[in-house]
Amino acid sequence: MAMPLRQTMRVSTYLMQQKLIKRRDKFPLIVELEPLFACNLACEGCGKIQHPAGVLKQRMPVAQAVGAVLESGAPMVSIAGGEPLMHPQIDEIVRQLVARRKYVFLCTNALLLRKKLEKFTPSPYLTFTVHIDGLRERHDASVAKEGTFDEAVEAIKEAKRQGFRVTTNSTFFNTDTPQTIIEVLDYLNDELHVDEMMISPAFAYEKAPDQEHFLGVEQTRELFRKTFAGGNRRRWRLNHSPLFLDFLEGKVDFECTAWGIPNYSLFGWQRPCYLMSDGYVPTYQELIEKTDWAKYGRGKDPRCENCMAHCGYEPTAVLATMGSLKESIRAVKETLTSKA
């Protein structure tokens, strides 16, 4: 993946230790941590806020959140939700994880970011990841609130001004076109100058209020083939391995590696991934050892048929890159090109 050199070396060393020294078949690349489900938006592709009111009021204790990450051993953690900046102790969760040299990606819609920045300290271990689903009209429609795009842009500018690393995460639906995707990525890359961008086709999350606009596999491949044409994918600072981008275009196909990005929430460790729920277990070891991972993925579980989400397929692409000298060299070259 396109990361800062220090982070790339740390993650690469971790992966080699897991595969070559500890001989583990399954291990986390990054933990998806959800310390709350409450949010200040009602996005069309998310069903988190449909939990009962009593659940939405809950906040995960700091020790529990940090302990779950340490239990997994993952070098990176993505803190999501809900809106994590609504957690009253989110700064302490981040501080403790950073103190343990975990790479933290705090995912946010940015509505509270400018107000909360003073609670955080810039660090190579901390990245704010702002959700941007399109330019102003498209983004505000996606989150069902006018002015959200403008606030997110101002928050990104202020965070960067204060020395924080800022990336973006964009989810695309069948209402998007190659041109709308190109326009938002051009803006984020060339005008807003975010450090890196992550992209993902929308997955048919079962509790999402909008069930009509999720992408199928062939739609996804056609959309990204056209979007990436003309050398765009090398020009943009995309936070993905080249093989995952190949996967989005349909140049290669992979099996899902759902265990690569496990989810821990208020309910415990979620089977099999944060987009599907087949129950929860209290420990990471139980998640890994007592989940029938072989039954998930396209061609195995009908719920997975249209999934091309990064949480299942980016780990596969990363492991495939590690296992190939040619692909490893290619990944380094494309990373250097994108940062030139």
Side-chain angles (χ1 to χ4, degrees):
M1 291 183 288
M3 312 177 204
L5 182 59
R6 178 190 300 183
Q7 185 177 348
T8 299
M9 295 302 295
R10 168 82 177 280
V11 173
S12 296
T13 300
Y14 164 81
L15 293 174
M16 286 189 288
Q17 288 175 339
Q18 300 301 309
K19 293 288 286 185
L20 303 178
I21 299 175
K22 298 182 179 180
R23 302 288 184 178
R24 289 177 175 167
D25 293 325
K26 296 179 178 63
F27 46 85
L29 179 64
I30 182 171
V31 167
E32 182 88 11
L33 177 68
E34 296 179 324
L36 79 172
F37 292 130
C39 191
N40 48 8
L41 288 176
C43 300
E44 61 185 19
C46 178
K48 297 293 183 179
I49 62 171
Q50 293 188 23
H51 285 292
V55 174
L56 294 178
K57 292 179 181 179
Q58 294 180 30
R59 305 291 184 263
M60 187 181 293
V62 173
Q64 182 181 345
V66 175
V69 177
L70 298 181
E71 177 192 5
S72 75
M76 300 184 289
V77 55
S78 173
I79 304 179
E83 169 51 53
L85 289 179
M86 292 176 63
H87 194 297
Q89 294 175 292
I90 189 60
D91 55 318
E92 183 61 18
I93 293 174
V94 169
R95 188 193 69 77
Q96 290 198 25
L97 290 171
V98 166
R100 291 167 171 82
R101 299 177 65 225
K102 300 294 183 182
Y103 287 96
V104 178
F105 297 83
L106 197 159
C107 304
T108 175
N109 58 39
L111 289 181
L112 297 173
L113 184 54
R114 285 199 286 176
K115 295 178 182 179
K116 301 283 187 175
L117 274 177
E118 63 182 18
K119 293 178 174 291
F120 300 92
T121 302
S123 165
Y125 292 99
L126 172 62
T127 298
F128 288 110
T129 300
V130 180
H131 205 91
I132 299 288
D133 278 348
L135 295 179
R136 182 179 291 106
E137 182 178 352
R138 173 70 187 91
H139 178 77
D140 286 359
S142 175
V143 302
K145 185 173 182 178
E146 291 185 7
T148 303
F149 177 84
D150 289 338
E151 178 57 35
V153 167
E154 292 305 312
I156 290 171
K157 291 178 179 178
E158 181 59 24
K160 288 186 66 65
R161 188 189 70 79
Q162 292 190 28
F164 290 96
R165 186 168 183 269
V166 182
T167 64
T168 54
N169 180 15
S170 300
T171 304
F172 299 114
F173 296 79
N174 64 13
T175 50
D176 286 292
T177 67
Q179 188 56 37
T180 62
I181 298 176
I182 289 169
E183 287 173 355
V184 68
L185 294 181
D186 276 350
Y187 176 77
L188 296 172
N189 192 84
D190 302 335
E191 297 186 42
L192 205 50
H193 301 291
V194 299
D195 291 281
E196 289 166 352
M197 300 168 288
M198 187 169 72
I199 58 178
S200 186
F203 173 75
Y205 187 73
E206 63 180 358
K207 292 185 178 181
D210 181 357
Q211 290 290 322
E212 298 181 4
H213 297 117
F214 292 109
L215 287 159
V217 170
E218 290 306 319
Q219 285 179 300
T220 297
R221 289 169 175 166
E222 181 179 4
L223 181 63
F224 285 104
R225 271 197 300 266
K226 293 179 179 178
T227 299
F228 292 155
N232 279 334
R233 60 179 268 186
R234 292 196 177 193
R235 181 171 57 81
W236 293 322
R237 293 182 297 279
L238 296 175
N239 186 21
H240 294 290
S241 62
L243 276 178
F244 179 73
L245 299 178
D246 287 349
F247 169 75
L248 290 182
E249 289 191 71
K251 292 180 177 179
V252 297
D253 200 10
F254 292 126
E255 290 191 2
C256 174
T257 304
W259 47 261
I261 305 182
N263 172 272
Y264 185 79
S265 72
L266 293 165
F267 300 143
W269 293 100
Q270 181 173 326
R271 291 174 169 152
C273 65
Y274 82 93
L275 293 170
M276 289 170 53
S277 179
D278 282 352
Y280 300 83
V281 294
T283 68
Y284 173 75
Q285 183 175 359
E286 186 174 351
L287 174 75
I288 293 300
E289 295 180 356
K290 297 187 178 181
T291 301
D292 186 1
W293 300 103
K295 73 178 185 180
Y296 297 105
R298 280 187 275 122
K300 301 175 183 178
D301 188 317
R303 296 170 297 176
C304 303
E305 284 307 302
N306 288 316
C307 181
M308 294 183 71
H310 71 278
C311 63
Y313 294 99
E314 181 73 84
T316 317
V318 170
L319 293 173
T321 299
M322 267 193 62
S324 167
L325 177 60
K326 177 182 177 181
E327 290 299 335
S328 296
I329 294 172
R330 177 189 174 207
V332 171
K333 285 183 177 179
E334 291 203 13
T335 297
L336 294 175
T337 299
S338 70
K339 294 180 183 296

mmCIF file of all heavy atoms in Angstrom, residues 111-142:
data_model
loop_
_atom_site.group_PDB
_atom_site.id
_atom_site.type_symbol
_atom_site.label_atom_id
_atom_site.label_comp_id
_atom_site.label_asym_id
_atom_site.label_seq_id
_atom_site.Cartn_x
_atom_site.Cartn_y
_atom_site.Cartn_z
ATOM 1 N N LEU A 111 -17.293 16.767 10.813
ATOM 2 C CA LEU A 111 -18.148 17.835 11.335
ATOM 3 C C LEU A 111 -17.648 18.365 12.677
ATOM 4 O O LEU A 111 -17.850 19.536 12.999
ATOM 5 C CB LEU A 111 -19.588 17.332 11.482
ATOM 6 C CG LEU A 111 -20.357 17.087 10.180
ATOM 7 C CD1 LEU A 111 -21.775 16.610 10.478
ATOM 8 C CD2 LEU A 111 -20.402 18.358 9.327
ATOM 9 N N LEU A 112 -16.989 17.523 13.448
ATOM 10 C CA LEU A 112 -16.470 17.939 14.756
ATOM 11 C C LEU A 112 -14.959 18.129 14.754
ATOM 12 O O LEU A 112 -14.381 18.489 15.784
ATOM 13 C CB LEU A 112 -16.831 16.892 15.816
ATOM 14 C CG LEU A 112 -18.316 16.664 16.083
ATOM 15 C CD1 LEU A 112 -18.505 15.466 17.025
ATOM 16 C CD2 LEU A 112 -18.955 17.907 16.682
ATOM 17 N N LEU A 113 -14.324 17.898 13.619
ATOM 18 C CA LEU A 113 -12.868 17.835 13.602
ATOM 19 C C LEU A 113 -12.206 19.140 14.011
ATOM 20 O O LEU A 113 -11.267 19.143 14.830
ATOM 21 C CB LEU A 113 -12.380 17.405 12.219
ATOM 22 C CG LEU A 113 -10.867 17.199 12.067
ATOM 23 C CD1 LEU A 113 -10.345 16.236 13.109
ATOM 24 C CD2 LEU A 113 -10.535 16.712 10.662
ATOM 25 N N ARG A 114 -12.658 20.263 13.472
ATOM 26 C CA ARG A 114 -12.001 21.537 13.826
ATOM 27 C C ARG A 114 -12.123 21.843 15.320
ATOM 28 O O ARG A 114 -11.199 22.384 15.935
ATOM 29 C CB ARG A 114 -12.578 22.676 12.989
ATOM 30 C CG ARG A 114 -12.089 22.663 11.556
ATOM 31 C CD ARG A 114 -12.286 23.998 10.876
ATOM 32 N NE ARG A 114 -13.683 24.245 10.539
ATOM 33 C CZ ARG A 114 -14.143 25.377 9.993
ATOM 34 N NH1 ARG A 114 -13.296 26.372 9.763
ATOM 35 N NH2 ARG A 114 -15.419 25.511 9.686
ATOM 36 N N LYS A 115 -13.263 21.469 15.926
ATOM 37 C CA LYS A 115 -13.466 21.719 17.353
ATOM 38 C C LYS A 115 -12.605 20.804 18.217
ATOM 39 O O LYS A 115 -12.238 21.158 19.340
ATOM 40 C CB LYS A 115 -14.935 21.510 17.710
ATOM 41 C CG LYS A 115 -15.891 22.490 17.053
ATOM 42 C CD LYS A 115 -17.335 22.171 17.434
ATOM 43 C CE LYS A 115 -18.301 23.118 16.748
ATOM 44 N NZ LYS A 115 -19.720 22.802 17.088
ATOM 45 N N LYS A 116 -12.281 19.625 17.692
ATOM 46 C CA LYS A 116 -11.590 18.618 18.488
ATOM 47 C C LYS A 116 -10.083 18.563 18.246
ATOM 48 O O LYS A 116 -9.368 17.856 18.979
ATOM 49 C CB LYS A 116 -12.178 17.233 18.186
ATOM 50 C CG LYS A 116 -13.664 17.100 18.467
ATOM 51 C CD LYS A 116 -13.954 16.949 19.939
ATOM 52 C CE LYS A 116 -15.417 16.642 20.190
ATOM 53 N NZ LYS A 116 -15.694 16.381 21.619
ATOM 54 N N LEU A 117 -9.583 19.271 17.256
ATOM 55 C CA LEU A 117 -8.165 19.158 16.902
ATOM 56 C C LEU A 117 -7.233 19.447 18.074
ATOM 57 O O LEU A 117 -6.168 18.823 18.200
ATOM 58 C CB LEU A 117 -7.832 20.107 15.740
ATOM 59 C CG LEU A 117 -8.060 19.582 14.329
ATOM 60 C CD1 LEU A 117 -7.756 20.669 13.304
ATOM 61 C CD2 LEU A 117 -7.228 18.339 14.050
ATOM 62 N N GLU A 118 -7.628 20.379 18.944
ATOM 63 C CA GLU A 118 -6.751 20.752 20.054
ATOM 64 C C GLU A 118 -6.522 19.598 21.029
ATOM 65 O O GLU A 118 -5.575 19.632 21.826
ATOM 66 C CB GLU A 118 -7.352 21.940 20.809
ATOM 67 C CG GLU A 118 -8.690 21.649 21.469
ATOM 68 C CD GLU A 118 -9.268 22.857 22.171
ATOM 69 O OE1 GLU A 118 -8.830 23.980 21.882
ATOM 70 O OE2 GLU A 118 -10.154 22.665 23.023
ATOM 71 N N LYS A 119 -7.356 18.569 20.967
ATOM 72 C CA LYS A 119 -7.204 17.419 21.847
ATOM 73 C C LYS A 119 -6.134 16.440 21.360
ATOM 74 O O LYS A 119 -5.772 15.502 22.087
ATOM 75 C CB LYS A 119 -8.535 16.674 21.979
ATOM 76 C CG LYS A 119 -9.631 17.450 22.712
ATOM 77 C CD LYS A 119 -10.921 16.656 22.760
ATOM 78 C CE LYS A 119 -11.975 17.344 23.593
ATOM 79 N NZ LYS A 119 -11.630 17.339 25.050
ATOM 80 N N PHE A 120 -5.662 16.635 20.142
ATOM 81 C CA PHE A 120 -4.721 15.691 19.535
ATOM 82 C C PHE A 120 -3.383 16.370 19.258
ATOM 83 O O PHE A 120 -3.301 17.595 19.131
ATOM 84 C CB PHE A 120 -5.294 15.135 18.238
ATOM 85 C CG PHE A 120 -6.601 14.407 18.417
ATOM 86 C CD1 PHE A 120 -7.808 15.090 18.291
ATOM 87 C CD2 PHE A 120 -6.626 13.059 18.720
ATOM 88 C CE1 PHE A 120 -9.024 14.426 18.464
ATOM 89 C CE2 PHE A 120 -7.825 12.382 18.891
ATOM 90 C CZ PHE A 120 -9.028 13.070 18.762
ATOM 91 N N THR A 121 -2.357 15.533 19.127
ATOM 92 C CA THR A 121 -1.014 16.014 18.817
ATOM 93 C C THR A 121 -0.547 15.376 17.517
ATOM 94 O O THR A 121 -0.663 14.154 17.362
ATOM 95 C CB THR A 121 -0.034 15.630 19.945
ATOM 96 O OG1 THR A 121 -0.497 16.183 21.179
ATOM 97 C CG2 THR A 121 1.361 16.142 19.640
ATOM 98 N N PRO A 122 -0.034 16.160 16.570
ATOM 99 C CA PRO A 122 0.471 15.562 15.329
ATOM 100 C C PRO A 122 1.524 14.500 15.610
ATOM 101 O O PRO A 122 2.371 14.659 16.487
ATOM 102 C CB PRO A 122 1.070 16.767 14.588
ATOM 103 C CG PRO A 122 0.306 17.946 15.106
ATOM 104 C CD PRO A 122 0.055 17.633 16.557
ATOM 105 N N SER A 123 1.437 13.411 14.873
ATOM 106 C CA SER A 123 2.358 12.288 15.066
ATOM 107 C C SER A 123 2.411 11.484 13.778
ATOM 108 O O SER A 123 1.398 11.377 13.071
ATOM 109 C CB SER A 123 1.872 11.387 16.210
ATOM 110 O OG SER A 123 2.547 10.131 16.194
ATOM 111 N N PRO A 124 3.562 10.901 13.460
ATOM 112 C CA PRO A 124 3.623 10.013 12.292
ATOM 113 C C PRO A 124 2.758 8.781 12.475
ATOM 114 O O PRO A 124 2.490 8.060 11.508
ATOM 115 C CB PRO A 124 5.110 9.647 12.196
ATOM 116 C CG PRO A 124 5.675 9.913 13.545
ATOM 117 C CD PRO A 124 4.888 11.060 14.095
ATOM 118 N N TYR A 125 2.298 8.527 13.706
ATOM 119 C CA TYR A 125 1.441 7.374 13.976
ATOM 120 C C TYR A 125 -0.051 7.712 13.901
ATOM 121 O O TYR A 125 -0.882 6.816 14.064
ATOM 122 C CB TYR A 125 1.750 6.789 15.347
ATOM 123 C CG TYR A 125 3.122 6.154 15.422
ATOM 124 C CD1 TYR A 125 4.200 6.855 15.974
ATOM 125 C CD2 TYR A 125 3.345 4.870 14.929
ATOM 126 C CE1 TYR A 125 5.464 6.279 16.026
ATOM 127 C CE2 TYR A 125 4.601 4.298 14.976
ATOM 128 C CZ TYR A 125 5.653 5.002 15.522
ATOM 129 O OH TYR A 125 6.905 4.439 15.567
ATOM 130 N N LEU A 126 -0.400 8.969 13.669
ATOM 131 C CA LEU A 126 -1.809 9.374 13.635
ATOM 132 C C LEU A 126 -2.184 9.979 12.288
ATOM 133 O O LEU A 126 -1.503 10.877 11.795
ATOM 134 C CB LEU A 126 -2.099 10.392 14.744
ATOM 135 C CG LEU A 126 -3.490 11.044 14.708
ATOM 136 C CD1 LEU A 126 -4.592 9.988 14.873
ATOM 137 C CD2 LEU A 126 -3.599 12.123 15.792
ATOM 138 N N THR A 127 -3.276 9.480 11.732
ATOM 139 C CA THR A 127 -3.835 10.018 10.490
ATOM 140 C C THR A 127 -5.327 10.244 10.672
ATOM 141 O O THR A 127 -6.034 9.362 11.164
ATOM 142 C CB THR A 127 -3.623 9.043 9.316
ATOM 143 O OG1 THR A 127 -2.230 8.851 9.096
ATOM 144 C CG2 THR A 127 -4.256 9.578 8.036
ATOM 145 N N PHE A 128 -5.798 11.416 10.296
ATOM 146 C CA PHE A 128 -7.241 11.647 10.220
ATOM 147 C C PHE A 128 -7.701 11.227 8.824
ATOM 148 O O PHE A 128 -7.172 11.704 7.815
ATOM 149 C CB PHE A 128 -7.587 13.116 10.462
ATOM 150 C CG PHE A 128 -7.428 13.547 11.887
ATOM 151 C CD1 PHE A 128 -6.403 14.408 12.262
ATOM 152 C CD2 PHE A 128 -8.305 13.094 12.865
ATOM 153 C CE1 PHE A 128 -6.255 14.798 13.579
ATOM 154 C CE2 PHE A 128 -8.159 13.481 14.193
ATOM 155 C CZ PHE A 128 -7.134 14.334 14.545
ATOM 156 N N THR A 129 -8.679 10.330 8.767
ATOM 157 C CA THR A 129 -9.222 9.878 7.490
ATOM 158 C C THR A 129 -10.633 10.418 7.350
ATOM 159 O O THR A 129 -11.550 10.000 8.069
ATOM 160 C CB THR A 129 -9.234 8.341 7.412
ATOM 161 O OG1 THR A 129 -7.888 7.860 7.536
ATOM 162 C CG2 THR A 129 -9.811 7.868 6.091
ATOM 163 N N VAL A 130 -10.803 11.368 6.438
ATOM 164 C CA VAL A 130 -12.078 12.069 6.275
ATOM 165 C C VAL A 130 -12.886 11.435 5.151
ATOM 166 O O VAL A 130 -12.372 11.207 4.058
ATOM 167 C CB VAL A 130 -11.841 13.565 5.989
ATOM 168 C CG1 VAL A 130 -13.181 14.288 5.816
ATOM 169 C CG2 VAL A 130 -11.039 14.194 7.130
ATOM 170 N N HIS A 131 -14.143 11.164 5.431
ATOM 171 C CA HIS A 131 -15.015 10.538 4.434
ATOM 172 C C HIS A 131 -15.522 11.594 3.447
ATOM 173 O O HIS A 131 -16.204 12.542 3.836
ATOM 174 C CB HIS A 131 -16.194 9.870 5.124
ATOM 175 C CG HIS A 131 -16.785 8.754 4.335
ATOM 176 N ND1 HIS A 131 -16.373 7.452 4.456
ATOM 177 C CD2 HIS A 131 -17.740 8.748 3.372
ATOM 178 C CE1 HIS A 131 -17.060 6.680 3.633
ATOM 179 N NE2 HIS A 131 -17.896 7.443 2.958
ATOM 180 N N ILE A 132 -15.168 11.427 2.196
ATOM 181 C CA ILE A 132 -15.614 12.331 1.129
ATOM 182 C C ILE A 132 -16.159 11.484 -0.015
ATOM 183 O O ILE A 132 -15.413 10.747 -0.657
ATOM 184 C CB ILE A 132 -14.457 13.208 0.595
ATOM 185 C CG1 ILE A 132 -13.870 14.087 1.705
ATOM 186 C CG2 ILE A 132 -14.931 14.048 -0.581
ATOM 187 C CD1 ILE A 132 -14.766 15.224 2.129
ATOM 188 N N ASP A 133 -17.461 11.569 -0.275
ATOM 189 C CA ASP A 133 -18.081 10.694 -1.281
ATOM 190 C C ASP A 133 -18.308 11.373 -2.632
ATOM 191 O O ASP A 133 -18.939 10.776 -3.514
ATOM 192 C CB ASP A 133 -19.422 10.173 -0.765
ATOM 193 C CG ASP A 133 -19.236 8.983 0.157
ATOM 194 O OD1 ASP A 133 -18.124 8.428 0.210
ATOM 195 O OD2 ASP A 133 -20.201 8.612 0.845
ATOM 196 N N GLY A 134 -17.805 12.571 -2.797
ATOM 197 C CA GLY A 134 -17.974 13.268 -4.062
ATOM 198 C C GLY A 134 -17.774 14.749 -3.838
ATOM 199 O O GLY A 134 -17.461 15.182 -2.714
ATOM 200 N N LEU A 135 -17.955 15.529 -4.878
ATOM 201 C CA LEU A 135 -17.908 16.976 -4.703
ATOM 202 C C LEU A 135 -19.172 17.450 -3.986
ATOM 203 O O LEU A 135 -20.024 16.648 -3.612
ATOM 204 C CB LEU A 135 -17.728 17.656 -6.054
ATOM 205 C CG LEU A 135 -16.387 17.350 -6.737
ATOM 206 C CD1 LEU A 135 -16.290 18.054 -8.086
ATOM 207 C CD2 LEU A 135 -15.206 17.747 -5.839
ATOM 208 N N ARG A 136 -19.285 18.738 -3.769
ATOM 209 C CA ARG A 136 -20.260 19.296 -2.832
ATOM 210 C C ARG A 136 -21.674 18.693 -2.945
ATOM 211 O O ARG A 136 -22.215 18.156 -1.974
ATOM 212 C CB ARG A 136 -20.333 20.817 -3.006
ATOM 213 C CG ARG A 136 -21.304 21.488 -2.019
ATOM 214 C CD ARG A 136 -21.347 22.977 -2.202
ATOM 215 N NE ARG A 136 -20.090 23.604 -1.798
ATOM 216 C CZ ARG A 136 -19.182 24.092 -2.657
ATOM 217 N NH1 ARG A 136 -19.397 24.003 -3.967
ATOM 218 N NH2 ARG A 136 -18.073 24.652 -2.219
ATOM 219 N N GLU A 137 -22.277 18.769 -4.110
ATOM 220 C CA GLU A 137 -23.659 18.315 -4.246
ATOM 221 C C GLU A 137 -23.791 16.817 -3.992
ATOM 222 O O GLU A 137 -24.690 16.366 -3.279
ATOM 223 C CB GLU A 137 -24.185 18.659 -5.644
ATOM 224 C CG GLU A 137 -25.642 18.279 -5.865
ATOM 225 C CD GLU A 137 -26.143 18.689 -7.237
ATOM 226 O OE1 GLU A 137 -25.409 19.400 -7.970
ATOM 227 O OE2 GLU A 137 -27.281 18.303 -7.587
ATOM 228 N N ARG A 138 -22.874 16.035 -4.579
ATOM 229 C CA ARG A 138 -22.936 14.579 -4.433
ATOM 230 C C ARG A 138 -22.672 14.153 -2.984
ATOM 231 O O ARG A 138 -23.370 13.292 -2.442
ATOM 232 C CB ARG A 138 -21.894 13.924 -5.361
ATOM 233 C CG ARG A 138 -21.751 12.415 -5.173
ATOM 234 C CD ARG A 138 -22.987 11.680 -5.667
ATOM 235 N NE ARG A 138 -22.928 10.257 -5.339
ATOM 236 C CZ ARG A 138 -23.420 9.723 -4.234
ATOM 237 N NH1 ARG A 138 -24.000 10.504 -3.322
ATOM 238 N NH2 ARG A 138 -23.354 8.424 -4.019
ATOM 239 N N HIS A 139 -21.679 14.765 -2.351
ATOM 240 C CA HIS A 139 -21.340 14.382 -0.980
ATOM 241 C C HIS A 139 -22.472 14.741 -0.025
ATOM 242 O O HIS A 139 -22.876 13.906 0.807
ATOM 243 C CB HIS A 139 -20.058 15.078 -0.542
ATOM 244 C CG HIS A 139 -19.675 14.766 0.876
ATOM 245 N ND1 HIS A 139 -19.095 13.568 1.240
ATOM 246 C CD2 HIS A 139 -19.820 15.475 2.030
ATOM 247 C CE1 HIS A 139 -18.869 13.555 2.544
ATOM 248 N NE2 HIS A 139 -19.306 14.704 3.047
ATOM 249 N N ASP A 140 -22.985 15.946 -0.125
ATOM 250 C CA ASP A 140 -24.043 16.365 0.792
ATOM 251 C C ASP A 140 -25.296 15.515 0.628
ATOM 252 O O ASP A 140 -26.001 15.222 1.610
ATOM 253 C CB ASP A 140 -24.378 17.842 0.576
ATOM 254 C CG ASP A 140 -23.295 18.770 1.126
ATOM 255 O OD1 ASP A 140 -22.309 18.254 1.692
ATOM 256 O OD2 ASP A 140 -23.419 19.999 0.966
ATOM 257 N N ALA A 141 -25.586 15.088 -0.607
ATOM 258 C CA ALA A 141 -26.733 14.202 -0.829
ATOM 259 C C ALA A 141 -26.484 12.840 -0.195
ATOM 260 O O ALA A 141 -27.387 12.228 0.387
ATOM 261 C CB ALA A 141 -27.001 14.049 -2.325
ATOM 262 N N SER A 142 -25.249 12.359 -0.274
ATOM 263 C CA SER A 142 -24.896 11.048 0.273
ATOM 264 C C SER A 142 -25.055 10.993 1.785
ATOM 265 O O SER A 142 -25.491 9.980 2.341
ATOM 266 C CB SER A 142 -23.451 10.690 -0.104
ATOM 267 O OG SER A 142 -23.048 9.483 0.491
#
